[in-house]
Amino acid sequence: MAKHRPPAELPACYAVVIPGLETVAAAEIEQELGGDIKRTGPGIVVFRLPEIDERILELRTTEDVYLLAWGTDKLTYRALDLEKIRNWTAHDADWPRLLQIHHAIHPKPKGKPTYHLVTQMQGQHGYRRADAAKALARGLAGKLPASWRYAEENAAVEVWLTIQGATAVCGLRLSDRTMRHRTYKLEHLPASLRPTVAGAMVRLADVRAGQVVLDPMCGAGTILAEALAATGGKITAWGGDREAKALRAAGTNLRRLGGALLARWDARRLPLADQCVDRILSNPPFGKQLSRPEEIAGLYRRMLPEYDRVLRPHGKAVLLVSDPAPLRDAAQAVGWPRLEQVRLRVLGQAAQLSVWQKARS
Ligand SMILES: C[S@@+](CC[C@H](N)C(=O)[O-])C[C@H]1O[C@@H](n2cnc3c(N)ncnc32)[C@H](O)[C@@H]1O
């Protein structure tokens, strides 16, 4: 009688996220994929899934997702790490199994497969990134089929080693650039938001089908695009901006997602009825690229009473700003309690996501 073998345990996965968004991404992994979070570190979430299939590529708050070959949070910063990296790569990872799962999600291309190695390193280590890359390559020797060719671009399989301080993760990349950049984003503007941050805002706002969702300063429309994508187009999306160029970009980006009602307006005087929207999600100018810092407090003071007027009782607002003090003052003036706050870095700048609720009718 054939022996019954239990199915081989699936490898863990990890996601690279914008630093600060680890908790939001972990919640998405748990709620959308039934994942079990193993650990989080700055910009990294390690998790296990009951099944690994293409649904992992639909996560909206992660920059990239990988199959974990090995991971550690015990690097010593000294050169002896290099031998450990080589050893872990050579002995701790089940490369045939990882490749099998990778091929199930991305079928092998015709012809000879290609591979690419990437090493990223942050922190002050007693070795160079190039040394870590060599250690990875030495550990991988003989692990990938001999017929595979190395390719600088568009390789079928990418092996990544990411070192951040004492933490290192190594794995096969499952996502490609469309996870970060999205296919809807045809038009970009200078201060356009990263889609994964907009995805996090949609989750923090608890946007649901049937709601009216407003971005009063919509720019290229990234936040409304994420709200439409997250609900399968089942929201009423309203957006506006004072710049015609922004509205043209938003129109192009939103068309394929179900569209939005867009208008040119000043967010301090919205041509909307009282209490007509369920959610306001927006990132007003940071006062760096688009306005002067001293204008920001005045802008927030004038825009929040308008947002308060159009928001339904118990409606929520999620706002991304770089300077939280003037926003807090303006929210206090309209009596909004803050439900949650997430600190993050957007394009190297400190920023804050805050969730507010209109508590009264
Ligand atoms: C940081 S950008 C928004 C980026 C947008 N979330 C995106 O992903 O493209 C801020 C936007 O606010 C607009 N804006 C600034 N002041 C405004 C005002 N008073 N009324 C309406 N729009 C305004 C700017 O034209 C700009 O498009």
Side-chain angles (χ1 to χ4, degrees):
M1 210 168 81
K3 268 195 195 158
H4 174 74
R5 284 177 190 226
E9 191 181 309
L10 286 170
C13 301
Y14 63 99
V16 168
V17 303
I18 292 199
L21 292 188
E22 296 85 2
T23 317
V24 185
E28 184 185 19
I29 290 163
E30 283 174 337
Q31 288 157 15
E32 304 300 327
L33 302 178
D36 183 13
I37 305 303
K38 292 296 167 194
R39 65 180 295 276
T40 57
I44 290 175
V45 181
V46 181
F47 55 97
R48 285 193 180 274
L49 294 179
E51 284 169 65
I52 304 177
D53 53 32
E54 51 288 327
R55 282 174 306 156
I56 195 173
L57 303 177
E58 288 163 20
L59 290 169
R60 306 201 74 84
T61 59
T62 57
E63 299 281 299
D64 270 303
V65 287
Y66 302 79
L67 291 170
L68 183 72
W70 58 263
T72 181
D73 50 14
K74 294 198 170 45
L75 289 182
T76 64
Y77 294 81
R78 296 199 297 271
L80 58 94
D81 288 345
L82 298 172
E83 190 47 25
K84 287 188 185 162
I85 289 170
R86 189 194 70 76
N87 253 311
W88 287 324
T89 308
H91 304 300
D92 280 16
D94 184 351
W95 293 104
R97 177 91 169 119
L98 295 172
L99 288 170
Q100 183 191 36
I101 296 170
H102 186 280
H103 293 330
I105 295 179
H106 299 287
K108 262 194 211 166
K110 291 203 175 73
K112 276 191 185 153
T114 50
Y115 71 99
H116 184 71
L117 308 187
V118 180
T119 300
Q120 295 176 318
M121 195 161 101
Q122 277 178 14
Q124 297 285 324
H125 297 80
Y127 44 90
R128 296 168 310 153
R129 187 172 63 89
D131 301 323
K134 264 188 217 148
L136 172 69
R138 291 205 335 264
L140 266 180
K143 302 291 173 191
L144 302 178
S147 59
W148 286 22
R149 279 186 303 105
Y150 189 79
E152 281 304 334
E153 279 180 17
N154 301 324
V157 172
E158 291 179 11
V159 182
W160 283 61
L161 168 62
T162 301
I163 300 175
Q164 281 175 7
T167 300
V169 279
C170 175
L172 287 186
R173 189 185 186 206
L174 290 175
S175 49
D176 62 21
R177 61 183 299 285
T178 59
M179 175 168 262
R180 256 167 301 145
H181 297 295
R182 312 290 205 245
T183 46
Y184 63 73
K185 205 137 182 196
L186 304 171
E187 294 290 334
H188 292 265
L189 292 174
S192 203
L193 192 59
R194 286 179 85 115
T196 54
V197 178
M201 293 172 75
V202 170
R203 291 197 74 80
L204 287 168
D206 190 22
V207 170
R208 294 178 194 190
Q211 290 180 335
V212 178
V213 179
L214 167 70
D215 182 350
M217 301 190 184
C218 70
T222 319
I223 300 173
L224 292 175
E226 287 301 311
L228 283 162
T231 54
K234 294 196 184 82
I235 54 160
T236 302
W238 291 348
D241 203 285
R242 65 178 180 192
E243 301 288 340
K245 191 171 65 172
L247 292 169
R248 277 197 297 277
T252 306
N253 290 337
L254 295 168
R255 199 165 299 133
R256 280 189 301 150
L257 294 167
L261 220 55
L262 299 173
R264 193 166 179 190
W265 64 34
D266 183 340
R268 295 166 294 188
R269 282 185 299 277
L270 292 170
L272 297 174
D274 294 355
Q275 304 193 353
C276 62
V277 306
D278 300 288
R279 297 288 184 264
I280 296 178
L281 288 87
S282 196
N283 79 295
F286 272 15
K288 309 236 155 78
Q289 260 169 304
L290 293 178
S291 334
R292 289 200 305 276
E294 61 274 18
E295 290 174 356
I296 288 301
L299 176 66
Y300 295 176
R301 247 193 331 268
R302 290 190 55 198
M303 84 192 187
L304 276 225
E306 249 330 59
Y307 293 5
D308 183 58
R309 181 182 68 74
V310 299
L311 204 53
R312 290 199 175 115
H314 308 294
K316 287 182 185 167
V318 176
L319 301 172
L320 174 72
V321 300
S322 78
D323 184 359
L327 180 64
R328 195 191 48 225
D329 293 347
Q332 248 168 23
V334 294
W336 284 2
R338 191 178 64 203
L339 304 183
E340 212 175 330
Q341 157 174 267
V342 176
R343 289 197 176 85
L344 70 164
R345 291 195 76 77
V346 182
L347 299 176
Q349 276 187 56
Q352 285 213 355
L353 272 172
S354 48
V355 185
W356 308 87
Q357 185 158 37
K358 176 171 172 173
R360 57 193 164 61
S361 42

